Amino acid sequence: MTRVWKWNRPVTVREVLEDLQQERSIAYTTVMTVLDNLHQKGWVRREAEGRAYRYEAVSTRAAYAAALMNEAWSQSDNPAAALVAFFGMMSEEQRQSLTDAVRIVQGPEALAPPAPDVETPAETGAESTESSGETRGTPGQSPDHPGR
């Protein structure tokens, strides 16, 4: 799968074989069998091209890693403790990546520091209609009684 993900395009058995052979000796039939197994498991799709197939990943490497993490986490009898232990294993760079990911998913306000305390209109004696959605009449009129 690493080779298929690396190229991010449909690949042939021959292409994968030639790439792997730069690192070690491996048989064509071994690569063909592995890609066929990946196809049967649903990890790659294939399309005939002449007498061969082109194989393409069904999902990204990131999606696969996320699915593995989700599966492991969901099998915990204490998911919160599992997350705490996992976060404890992370490097500072990984924790920053996690923070960035949460911001992307929930928006920047999700991790923003709380706003400083501001006096509310009730504390200052002023009336506020912004949060209630009411509209004021002309100056000097009461919002509840426009004629006054």
Side-chain angles (χ1 to χ4, degrees):
M1 279 307 300
T2 299
R3 302 301 199 240
V4 176
W5 282 322
K6 180 175 106 176
W7 288 319
N8 197 28
R9 64 171 175 79
V11 296
T12 64
V13 172
R14 176 76 51 204
E15 290 173 316
V16 175
L17 173 71
E18 290 172 358
D19 191 41
L20 288 170
Q21 285 180 333
Q22 293 176 15
E23 299 171 12
R24 61 188 163 120
S25 178
I26 190 166
Y28 180 93
T29 53
T30 301
V31 176
M32 183 175 63
T33 299
V34 169
L35 284 170
D36 185 60
N37 288 342
L38 291 171
H39 176 256
Q40 289 179 25
K41 291 179 179 183
W43 290 27
V44 295
R45 59 178 147 282
R46 68 182 180 193
E47 194 170 311
E49 184 177 278
R51 293 178 37 192
Y53 287 108
R54 282 208 172 265
Y55 294 86
E56 182 176 21
V58 170
S59 69
T60 65
R61 186 177 204 149
Y64 172 71
L68 285 177
M69 289 187 287
N70 186 54
E71 182 180 341
W73 183 53
S74 67
Q75 291 182 17
S76 173
D77 61 348
N78 187 342
L83 282 175
V84 169
F86 180 62
F87 297 158
M89 294 176 195
M90 297 172 99
S91 68
E92 184 56 39
E93 183 178 317
Q94 290 170 321
R95 282 192 290 277
Q96 185 58 52
S97 294
L98 176 65
T99 300
D100 294 344
V102 170
R103 279 194 179 114
I104 290 168
V105 171
Q106 295 183 339
E109 64 281 351
L111 296 176
D117 289 339
V118 176
E119 289 185 11
T120 64
E123 293 170 332
T124 62
E127 292 185 33
S128 172
T129 57
E130 290 180 37
S131 62
S132 68
E134 295 175 355
T135 57
R136 290 188 182 261
T138 57
Q141 292 180 334
S142 166
D144 296 328
H145 302 284
R148 293 188 192 168

